Every structure is written in structure tokens, then in C-alpha cells.
Amino acid sequence: MVNYDHYTYKVTWSSEDEEFVGLCAEFPSLSFLDKNRNTALEGLTDLVKDVVADMEANDETIPEPF
């Protein structure tokens, strides 16, 4: 089982959305927006956790942390 906490996370400001956006290098198609920096990171981490669990349940190849 891959530990989702070991992935590479980044939170940056999006002037276009006027919110913070959480990103994960290993899952470039995922993002999470929020007005609060910490909430953006938490939301993205929860999203990655759910995606990893779904991929495991479907026997899909899960990206290894960098």
C-alpha cells in the first residue's frame, strides 16, 4: 500500500481563481481550490487519499512517491 502522505504536494496562489490551489506532482490532473492555504492542502491530501484507495480497489497501478 502506498502512503499518500509521501507524495509531493504544493500549494500556490491562483490569481485567475483568486484562491489557493493544492497540487500533487505524482497526480498532475488533480487539484483542490480554497480561500485558505491550509484547507487547500488538506482538501488535496484527502482527494489523493480517495483516488489511491479507488485505484487500489480496482487493481490499478498507483504512482510511487518521487
Side-chain angles (χ1 to χ4, degrees):
M1 180 175 169
V2 174
N3 186 337
Y4 66 91
D5 281 330
H6 294 171
Y7 285 123
T8 308
Y9 296 100
K10 175 172 112 174
V11 177
T12 188
W13 177 255
S14 170
S15 56
E16 181 180 325
D17 297 305
E18 295 187 2
E19 291 185 299
F20 289 99
V21 58
L23 303 166
C24 180
E26 292 84 352
F27 291 91
S29 64
L30 299 180
S31 64
F32 193 93
L33 291 166
D34 198 274
K35 296 282 185 194
N36 180 285
R37 177 190 301 267
N38 293 331
T39 305
L41 178 58
E42 183 179 318
L44 180 66
T45 305
D46 289 344
L47 178 60
V48 169
K49 178 181 176 182
D50 291 344
V51 168
V52 168
D54 186 58
M55 291 177 78
E56 286 177 338
N58 291 302
D59 294 321
E60 296 178 45
T61 302
I62 301 166
E64 290 293 322
F66 290 144

